[in-house]
Amino acid sequence: MPQRGNRRELLAEAAIEVLAQEGGRGLTHRAVDREAVVPEGTAKNYYPTRSALLIAVARHLAEQHTTALRQLVSQAPAGLTSADITKLYASMLRRSAGNARSQYLALFELHLEAVRNPEVRTALAEITRANADAAVELNAAVGHRMTRRGAGLLDAGMLGVALSVLTLPEDVADELGLSDADGVAQALLAVGSTDGEPVVGVLRDCAS
């Protein structure tokens, strides 16, 4: 949890946990107050409506995510290799079911909310653009050209795999190879790099 002096950030982090534990229907001002351990009425004072609360969470996640990605790209070592990028994306997949589980579950709830809430949709767009920018820049650093369309395919694939791993029975994820973070990352990066070339051939190359 953030420092208690920053109430807006504290409440946004608490709302993430509520979304992860209770889903969208469980996101209430009282639930956020309880999670943040603040007096009842605090969340409503800062975010008067449920929509305002959801938008705050979306913007908070977007800010965190884009800041982390910009830092990642700016600090990429000079000797970066394709293998390093694959390890990075595999690590992201592992985090989605590990120490970033709450953030990913909240993100999926926000994607559902975005169908009806344009402001949430705008915040999610910031995350997607940041992911695409990072993918293009990281691949360029190792001499690979990835278009924004390819980066979009990569991002959608990462999001879809994370969702499947979090929601499918473990034996099904294992059966389909979705729990193999390294293999999945390699396949998704290859598909993104082809930018629309036949996927079957790309996946065959990854498996060989």
Side-chain angles (χ1 to χ4, degrees):
M1 280 284 186
Q3 294 294 322
R4 299 196 70 80
N6 189 339
R7 279 290 176 91
R8 290 186 181 277
E9 186 177 354
L10 177 71
L11 292 168
E13 290 286 347
I16 288 171
E17 290 300 324
V18 173
L19 278 173
Q21 296 168 20
E22 307 295 336
R25 291 183 179 180
L27 184 68
T28 65
H29 291 91
R30 286 185 178 181
V32 173
D33 287 339
R34 286 195 299 270
E35 180 65 30
V37 194
V38 295
E40 187 174 319
T42 301
K44 198 169 187 64
N45 183 51
Y46 282 89
Y47 305 111
T49 65
R50 182 176 178 278
S51 178
L53 193 55
L54 283 161
I55 292 166
V57 174
R59 289 175 176 168
H60 181 67
L61 282 174
E63 182 178 355
Q64 280 190 323
H65 193 77
T66 53
T67 299
L69 283 176
R70 290 190 190 107
Q71 185 176 28
L72 172 68
V73 172
S74 67
Q75 295 179 354
L80 191 70
T81 66
S82 296
D84 292 330
I85 294 177
T86 300
K87 289 178 182 177
L88 171 64
Y89 278 86
S91 175
M92 291 180 186
L93 288 173
R94 291 190 183 95
R95 287 185 69 247
S96 69
N99 59 6
R101 187 175 186 273
S102 291
Q103 287 86 346
Y104 272 86
L105 288 172
L107 184 63
F108 295 136
E109 293 289 344
L110 290 171
H111 270 275
L112 293 175
E113 180 66 26
V115 175
R116 297 167 293 276
N117 192 321
E119 291 188 73
V120 172
R121 189 180 305 175
T122 297
L124 294 182
E126 291 181 29
I127 296 175
T128 301
R129 287 196 182 101
N131 287 341
D133 290 343
V136 170
E137 291 185 48
L138 288 171
N139 276 274
V142 296
H144 293 166
R145 177 181 177 273
M146 178 176 281
T147 66
R148 288 187 66 76
R149 180 177 184 275
L153 289 172
L154 170 62
D155 184 60
M158 290 284 291
L159 195 64
V161 171
L163 175 63
S164 295
V165 170
L166 282 169
T167 58
L168 288 174
E170 188 175 339
D171 61 325
V172 175
D174 290 342
E175 175 190 338
L176 299 176
L178 298 177
S179 54
D180 174 16
D182 295 293
V184 169
Q186 183 182 9
L188 290 177
L189 282 162
V191 171
S193 296
T194 64
D195 191 20
E197 291 180 15
V199 173
V200 173
V202 174
L203 295 179
R204 187 184 301 117
D205 291 341
C206 288
S208 62

